[in-house]
Amino acid sequence: LEAATAALAACPIDPERRPPWLARVLIEAGKPRAVLVTAHHLVIDGWGLAVLINELYGRLCGDAAPAPAPAHPLDAVAEQPLERARAAEREWLTRLAANPANVLAPFGGTPGGGGRHRLQYRSAAAYDDLDRVARRCGASPEAVVLAALAHEVAARTGEHRLLASVVVSNRARAAHRSSVGVRALTVPVQLDLRPGAEFGEVVDSVVAACAAAYRHGQYRPAELVAAQARMDRRRGVVAVPAIEYNCYSWPRDYLAPVRNAPPDGSVAWISSAADEPCETLYVDLSRDAGVVTLDVTVGDHLLDAGQAAALPARLCGLLRALAEGAACPVPALPLVPAAPGWWRAPQGWACLPTAEAVLREHPGVLDVSVAPGGGGTGAGEGAAPHLVAYARVAPGVSPGDLHRHVLDRLGEEPGLLAPDRYVLSLSLSPNGSDLPLGLPQVGCPADQLRTAVGGAEVPAIPSRGPATDAERALAAAVATVGGGGPPDGTSADTEKDIRDGAWANASAGPAAVDMNRCLADHGVTLAAIPRLLALLQRSGLTGIASDELAGTASLGHLAAALEPLPPRAPHGHGGDLSP
C-alpha cells in the first residue's frame, strides 16, 4: 500500500489534458482491497479531499447518499452583496500589507537552513486541559490553541502584531459537497496582542479577529493572488503569515516514526528532503478519541529540529498551567535574542547578509555592504530608520538595475526586503568619482524619494519590451492570457488591484508587454497559469514551475530561466511523448 501510494503521488498531473486527479484500485486475490486517490491542490484542499474520500468510502460500502449537511460558512459569505465582498477583498490586502515580515526568522533555527521538519505530537492529558481552558474562556478549543500559538510566537519574538492564516472550511466539521473546490482556502487573521495581557484577554482578541476575518466576502483566489503579487512587488516585501493554522490533522499513519522512537509513542517524525524551507510555522490540530494531536511543519531556519520538537510540548505545558489557574501574561520583550545580522525595519525583519549576498550576485557589483541608516546617509537628519546599501560597481550599473534585481529575488530569499527604491549608496562612476546615494526609508511615498546628490528624484525602473526569443515567446503568451496591466507610468493602489479582477487592456500585443514588470502586473492570474505554460510549451520552451509564476519575479527574470524542450522520440520508437 505504501509503495502504491508513493507511486501514485509521484505521477505528474497535467490539468491541460486530463482531469486534475488520479485514482488506482489495488487488487488482492482477484478482489479490490483499496482505492487510492490523489488530487491537485488547484481544485481541492485537505479538508475537501477528506470529505471526498469519506463520501467515496460510503458509496463503495453501499451506503445511501449522505443526508443534507448543515450550512457551511462558505455558503453564508457567498450570499453577501458584491460590493461588500469587494470591500472585504480590499481589507484582505490591507491586512497582508500591515503584517511585519519575517517575524520568526531572526529568533531561532539554523542560519541558511535548507530543509523542513515535520512531526506529529499526541497528548491525552492536553485533551482535558484544553476543554477546561476553553470552558473558562468561553471559546472553542480551536480558538484557544490558536491563541496559545500566538502567545508562543509573541513570547519568542517580542512581536505583538502577527498574521495567522486560518483555514475557514475546517471550522465546520460537517461533510458538505460545495466545499470541494477552490472557493476559499484560508483567511488572514490579524492578531494584535497587548504586552502584559493575561491569556483570557488573548483568547478574546483572537476570537474577535477570527470573527472579523470570517466576514470576508466572495473570495476569488485567482484574482486575489495576482493582486497580492502586485502589492508585494510594489512594497518590496512579501507578506508571509507567521502561523498557518489548520483544524484538520494528518492521518495517524501518515508519519513514519524515526529510529529508536517507540512505535506507539507520543511523537512521530517524518524526514523531509533538503528542499526550500517553509517560510511559515504550519500547525494542524485535531481532537479525536480523547487525544489532542498537533502536527507541526517548519523550516529549520525558523525552528531547528530540537526547537520544533519542543514547540508542541511547550504548548501543552501552557495549557496545563492555564488549566491550573495561571494567568500567563504576554511577555513585553522577546525571550530569545535575535540572530546576528538581522535588523528590525519598519515593515519587518531584514537579514543584512542576505541582502548583501543578493546584491553581490548582480553582474558588475564589485563589493557591497548593507547597514541600517540614519541622519546623514541621504535620507535626511532625523529620518525614520531605513536601510542603506554601500556598493562599488562597474560603470553602467544603475540604481534601477539593482532595485529590479532585488525585486526579482523577493520570493526566493527569506529575510530580503526591497524598500521603495533600492539604490546605491556608493557608486563607482565612469570617471572614478564616488556618487553617494541614500536608500529611502521603507514605505516612503514616491514623491519623497530624494538622493543626497542635488535632491533629484530616484529614477523609476524604466519599461522594457521583449528582446530575446525567450522573452518574445513569454510576452506573446502573456498577451494572450493576461487581462492587461496598469496604464504606463501609474502605480495601482490596493483598490485598483482587486477592482474587477484586473485592468482592461486586452488589446495590447506582445510588443507592449513590459519585461520589467511581473506577471500579476499584466493581469495574469492563477487560473491562467496552465494555459500560459501550455503556450510556452508550444513555443518549444520549458524551465518554469507553476509556483514561480504566482510570485513577484519580473518577466525578464522568468524568461532568463526558460530553456528549449528536450527532443522527443518519434512515434513508434517507444519514446515518452508526454510534455
Side-chain angles (χ1 to χ4, degrees):
L1 183 62
E2 289 184 7
T5 302
L8 185 65
C11 290
I13 291 179
D14 182 359
E16 285 288 300
R17 302 181 181 182
R18 290 183 294 273
W21 56 78
L22 301 170
R24 183 177 180 183
V25 178
L26 297 188
I27 306 294
E28 184 180 60
K31 296 182 179 180
R33 299 302 302 269
V35 178
L36 308 179
V37 179
T38 182
H40 199 287
H41 212 330
L42 182 69
V43 295
I44 200 167
D45 64 353
W47 186 88
L49 187 60
V51 172
L52 183 65
I53 290 173
N54 289 336
E55 292 184 353
L56 176 62
Y57 177 80
R59 290 299 185 93
L60 292 175
C61 292
D63 296 345
H72 193 278
L74 301 187
D75 299 321
V77 300
E79 296 173 358
Q80 295 187 61
L82 184 58
E83 287 305 315
R84 181 174 178 180
R86 287 175 173 169
E89 291 172 350
R90 289 194 291 271
E91 182 185 357
W92 189 87
L93 292 174
T94 301
R95 287 170 183 255
L96 288 177
N99 177 55
N102 306 310
V103 167
L104 279 168
F107 296 95
T110 305
R116 292 183 291 181
H117 306 295
R118 297 175 177 176
L119 68 93
Q120 188 171 83
Y121 184 92
R122 296 177 286 273
S123 173
Y127 190 94
D128 294 331
D129 293 337
L130 180 55
D131 271 348
R132 291 170 62 187
V133 177
R135 285 195 301 269
R136 181 183 305 159
C137 296
S140 69
E142 290 81 4
V144 170
V145 172
L146 179 56
L149 280 167
H151 187 284
E152 165 72 16
V153 173
R156 185 176 188 85
T157 66
E159 295 283 350
H160 297 99
R161 163 162 283 199
L162 311 171
L163 189 70
S165 186
V166 182
V167 179
V168 176
S169 58
N170 295 357
R171 306 299 292 182
R173 296 200 176 106
H176 196 63
R177 292 178 182 276
S178 66
S179 68
V180 178
V182 178
R183 292 183 58 191
L185 293 179
T186 59
V187 294
V189 179
Q190 187 68 59
L191 305 176
D192 291 284
L193 282 64
R194 183 179 63 83
E198 295 186 356
F199 190 77
E201 180 182 330
V202 175
V203 174
D204 290 342
S205 67
V206 167
V207 170
C210 287
Y214 296 160
R215 285 195 293 269
H216 282 38
Q218 297 169 343
Y219 269 73
R220 298 175 295 171
E223 288 81 0
L224 284 173
V225 170
Q228 181 183 343
R230 284 192 293 269
M231 178 185 70
D232 286 344
R233 186 171 175 86
R234 214 165 43 246
R235 294 168 59 235
V237 179
V238 174
V240 179
I243 303 168
E244 292 270 3
Y245 183 57
N246 195 349
C247 300
Y248 170 77
S249 179
W250 302 337
R252 171 69 185 268
D253 296 331
Y254 179 75
L255 294 174
V258 294
R259 185 179 301 176
N260 301 326
D264 296 321
S266 62
V267 179
W269 283 84
I270 184 170
S271 59
S272 177
D275 54 5
E276 295 182 5
C278 1
E279 303 300 322
T280 301
L281 170 62
Y282 290 85
V283 177
D284 298 72
L285 164 73
S286 71
R287 300 170 68 247
D288 298 306
V291 175
V292 167
T293 302
L294 293 170
D295 299 307
V296 177
T297 303
V298 64
D300 61 6
H301 68 301
L302 300 181
L303 299 176
D304 60 29
Q307 295 162 348
L311 174 65
R314 194 161 51 246
L315 289 174
C316 292
L318 176 62
L319 293 175
R320 169 53 56 89
L322 293 165
E324 293 176 348
C328 298
V330 177
L333 299 175
L335 302 181
V336 178
W342 286 86
W343 177 72
R344 182 58 163 92
Q347 284 183 304
W349 286 88
C351 184
L352 306 187
T354 295
E356 292 175 359
V358 168
L359 286 167
R360 199 170 284 117
E361 291 173 359
H362 189 278
V365 173
L366 307 178
D367 192 19
V368 65
S369 65
V370 177
T377 61
E381 294 291 338
H386 57 281
L387 285 174
V388 177
Y390 300 90
R392 189 163 57 89
V393 300
V397 178
S398 70
D401 294 335
L402 290 188
H403 181 57
R404 182 172 61 253
H405 175 69
V406 176
L407 286 178
D408 286 342
R409 297 296 302 276
L410 270 185
E412 303 174 10
E413 297 291 342
L416 184 64
L417 301 179
D420 233 352
R421 295 288 188 272
Y422 214 109
V423 300
L424 297 170
S425 178
L426 187 61
S427 164
L428 186 63
S429 67
N431 60 10
S433 62
D434 292 338
L435 299 176
L437 300 177
L439 182 63
Q441 72 178 70
V442 181
C444 182
D447 59 0
Q448 297 178 14
L449 300 177
R450 305 292 172 184
T451 70
V453 181
E457 183 172 330
V458 177
I461 297 176
S463 299
R464 183 176 71 83
T468 66
D469 289 341
E471 288 186 350
R472 281 187 283 270
L474 181 57
V478 168
T480 301
V481 305
D488 292 339
T490 65
S491 178
D493 57 20
T494 299
E495 182 173 354
K496 290 178 182 177
D497 274 348
I498 58 89
R499 188 180 61 198
D500 298 329
W503 292 274
N505 190 22
S507 61
V513 173
D514 186 355
M515 303 306 293
N516 285 340
R517 291 183 179 271
C518 66
L519 279 168
D521 286 328
H522 295 85
V524 177
T525 65
L526 284 178
I529 284 177
R531 189 179 177 206
L532 182 76
L533 291 173
L535 290 171
L536 287 174
Q537 185 201 24
R538 292 172 194 169
S539 299
L541 296 170
T542 186
I544 300 179
S546 58
D547 56 346
E548 295 177 274
L549 301 181
T552 60
S554 66
L555 297 185
H557 187 75
L558 293 173
L562 288 172
E563 55 191 33
L565 281 168
R568 292 192 244 176
H571 287 281
H573 290 74
D576 182 10
L577 298 180
S578 62

